[in-house]
Amino acid sequence: MQDPDMGVKMRNQRLLITVIPHAMTGNDVIEWLIQKYNITEEEARHLGGLLVQYGYIYPLRDPRSLLLRSDDSPYRFQTPYFWTSSRWPASELDYAIYLAKKNIRKQGELVDYEKENYSILHKRINHTWDFVVMQAREQLRASKQRRKADRIVLECQEQAYWLINKPCPGAFDVLDLGPERCNVLSSRVALIEHSRRALGRNRVKSSICLESFMKYSEQYLHHDPIMSGCLPSNPWISDDTSHWTINTDMVGTPTRLRVERWSFSFMELLNDSMGRREFMIYLEKEFSAENLCFWVACEDLRHGESSKIILKVEEVYKNFLAPGAARWVNIDSKTMERTLEGIKRPHRFIMDDAQMHIYFLMKKDSYPRYLKSELYKNMLAKAIVPQETKKSVFPFMRRQRHSSPSPAMVTQATEDDGKAKGAGPTGTSSTTNSQI
Amino acid sequence: QLRAFSLQRAFLFSINPEMATQEVQPNETLTNLKAESDTLKTKLEDERAKLHDVELHQVAEKVDGLGQFIMKTRRTLKGHGNKVLCMDWCKDKRRIVSSSQDGKVIVWDAFTTNKEHAVTMPCTWVMACAYAPSGCAVACGGLDNKCSVYPLSLDKNENLAAKKKSVAMHTNYLSACSFTNSDMQILTSSGDGTCALWDVESGQLLQSFHGHAADVLCLDLAPSETGNTFVSGGCDKKANVWDMRSGQCIQSFETHESDINSVRYYPSGDAFASGSDDATCRLYDLRADREVAIYSKESIIFGASSVDFSLSGRLLFGGYNDYTINVWDVLKGTRVSILFGHENRVSTLRLSPDGTAFCSGSWDHTLRLTHWASGS
């Protein structure tokens, strides 16, 4: 930005009666950003504003206000010595001298928080106070000998620096970076190991991988509410929750989009509890429901409590793997052998091989047949396509936003089955706000 | 933020306890090891480059460009008295949990904007929070170095803090946490450079993940069929993919020039995006084993703190430290829109479970729900 040829146009700016060299207007800065980065005025104003807030550009007029005005207000680039990126900690001594100078130069120039800081410093570094005052007087004397323009510039530079390093309490603090991030030790030996292993991995050509992104976004285009909207309407816009109520787990008739999605991948079918239910019905017809039951039981083992592992492994063995088991699953002999051996020392991943075998069996065999089955086709045929809600006649009248029962309550209600059914809704109505 | 990239971070060489059993040849000096690891790194880059026969934006030339998008904030959630640091969605698509610098963790029904639960943690800077899949509990943590689980009580009079359960213990701040497929396991990342998997019921450490050379700042679970991997990003500029079962780092990517603040899987699970203090977001393909796209603009000079995809993966939303949210066309690599709304850094951003809106949390103490609608 400071480049003499390609940077922001700088010229003499008039500040009351003084002419300040090498300055620019707020407008100049914004225009330059728009041109250079091909952005809108809004973005340029935002970016320029941040440059001022962070102390890289400072105002000459109204120096206490670190804002970029999009008019002919004069600004200058801050001297690198004062740049925020240098991260030199602002010294108490320098701050004291600065405040002292202000105080001496003009009575009442210090604002409230500065007066407070001044008296705090006076107490804290009282032993060097003579030095502080002496320095302040000396710097003021030296500045009186400068040209007025230079004096103004130096005062504004310093002012901007201190506004950032010692901001008014409650004001935006650009130096607030969040908790300290530090480093931890590493091992070169581990890095070498890792690189060796990485060299051996199989990679797929970019052209093949990247093609899949096109396919995926196209396939899901109509399912993406942000890209294609959603029916009957987006609840966040219309305040109407129909879109959610027609897509619940327990809904009687699913939407067409939902049923279509089951055909995108086996995982999509299994991830939807209704899809899983339908698939189970199909498998029961095919007398292979034990496969899905087994898969579900393995998932439960893998993601359940550590304390229940041994019990669950026993159950799985009894129901699915033991000879003559009620729901015996057909796994290849090698995997079966390995699994049975592993059961002797059960842990949560012991069924992984068997589970994967059954998963891929279902995926390659039962799943494609399900998609071709009457069961699925009927589901698709009777699935509903909701009507798009017409925009209401009086768009400025906001609908009542109804609360819904908390998931926590729903679970508890099913647990206390026979008991307090009349627990009542936990959600408060939209007219009252719970006090926190 | 504007960091002085010239600040040198000193990497000290040391043997970490796990390596104690490995053989280190007595004549392997520091320089030898460094030379070897650098050579291997170059070799790896060459191998990766061999199969890179086309760029993403080239493949995307045949795809239609995106039309005009209008972004509108639909809800503003006010209630945190301090910087909002993290948020997560409930599976019911309308509730969220958020955490802030002053230790407050709030559960909201974002649709009605009602606050439903609130708890004050005994520590400040609660940088991580997560909603349990069942919707019955939330997990959170930060400068207390722990991850605690709070069951959501239905009784308004009950003190949530009383039922608190301490699950994870790290030796530095907790930066992120996530439940796995059930309420029973939590995955955490920490400033101590590790990630860990915990059993909620017993608090037992099930697996730990070592490999980052600095603070780990973020993680995301893979939506894959076998459901066994996750990705993490750290201050060592690396994004690592881990096998949850073995604890091994199975893939690693190092192309960012600064801390990685956020990682998020592409919906198919074949790739993931990252947001970094180097002011860029990047896309890494797991099968090609390389970075395949950079989302950046010269006018964006502040770090990206948080990223998420739209449901179809076509759009990438990035929350930045310059208070804006930039929206990128993932395939073409161009920026499609910029949203000004927050008055301070955007610290967290997540799409709702059904993709109908996204929620952003900021240091300006608010959370905003925004919908983006195609102009047509």
Side-chain angles (χ1 to χ4, degrees), chain A residues 70-253:
Chain A
S70 51
D71 54 22
D72 61 359
S73 302
Y75 292 83
R76 273 183 65 115
F77 286 105
Q78 179 63 286
T79 177
Y81 180 80
F82 283 143
W83 281 1
T84 312
S85 59
S86 64
R87 310 268 257 129
W88 289 353
S91 95
E92 280 192 324
L93 200 60
D94 287 337
Y95 190 43
I97 294 169
Y98 166 71
L99 290 176
K101 274 199 292 189
K102 272 195 149 186
N103 206 25
I104 295 169
R105 187 166 50 223
K106 192 164 149 194
Q107 283 296 339
E109 176 130 2
L110 294 179
V111 293
D112 289 329
Y113 78 95
E114 283 174 334
K115 282 197 193 115
E116 254 188 74
N117 287 344
Y118 191 53
S119 56
I120 290 170
L121 281 170
H122 185 84
K123 282 199 199 94
R124 191 150 61 220
I125 55 172
N126 194 275
H127 51 284
T128 59
W129 207 252
D130 288 342
F131 175 72
V132 168
V133 175
M134 198 173 71
Q135 267 294 311
R137 288 221 168 94
E138 182 55 39
Q139 285 184 17
L140 281 173
R141 196 189 59 77
S143 80
K144 275 202 178 80
Q145 301 188 334
R146 290 197 189 97
R147 285 170 39 224
K148 188 163 186 204
D150 290 341
R151 201 172 351 126
I152 289 175
V153 161
L154 288 169
E155 275 170 23
C156 287
Q157 273 182 354
E158 226 191 343
Q159 167 99 293
Y161 175 78
W162 288 112
L163 277 174
I164 286 164
N165 281 276
K166 293 275 180 224
C168 172
F172 183 78
D173 181 7
V174 304
L175 296 181
D176 187 356
L177 298 172
E180 186 73 36
R181 292 175 182 179
C182 45
N183 286 324
V184 160
L185 312 172
S186 86
S187 163
R188 275 272 174 217
V189 178
L191 283 172
I192 290 171
E193 274 290 309
H194 186 268
S195 296
R196 284 209 190 109
R197 261 184 287 132
L199 274 171
R201 85 173 302 128
N202 284 328
R203 283 177 195 85
V204 180
K205 250 196 312 193
S206 288
S207 46
I208 297 174
C209 303
L210 301 178
E211 194 58 47
S212 72
F213 295 138
M214 311 300 128
K215 291 209 176 78
Y216 192 93
S217 21
E218 208 185 334
Q219 188 180 43
Y220 282 83
L221 178 62
H222 296 294
H223 298 255
D224 186 338
I226 289 181
M227 297 287 293
S228 311
C230 59
L231 301 171
S233 62
N234 187 310
W236 300 102
I237 301 176
S238 63
D239 288 343
D240 172 22
T241 56
S242 305
H243 176 73
W244 289 332
T245 42
I246 63 176
N247 280 304
T248 54
D249 283 351
M250 296 301 162
V251 77
T253 315

Side-chain angles (χ1 to χ4, degrees), chain B residues 225-241:
Chain B
E225 290 182 298
T226 44
N228 255 342
T229 60
F230 73 95
V231 63
S232 66
C235 288
D236 57 355
K237 313 174 201 168
K238 290 215 287 242
N240 290 339
V241 180

Side-chain angles (χ1 to χ4, degrees), chain A residues 36 62-64 115 118 139 142 184 200 203 207 225 261 335 366 374 404 420 427:
Chain A
K36 170 85 175 158
D62 205 2
R64 275 200 181 274
K115 282 197 193 115
Y118 191 53
Q139 285 184 17
V184 160
R203 283 177 195 85
S207 46
R261 212 164 147 176
T335 311
S366 316
E374 285 306 311
S404 70

Side-chain angles (χ1 to χ4, degrees), chain A residues 417-435:
Chain A
D417 207 33
K419 288 187 274 185
K421 267 239 169 103
T426 49
T428 52
S429 77
S430 47
T431 49
T432 56
N433 259 308
S434 47
Q435 293 300 311

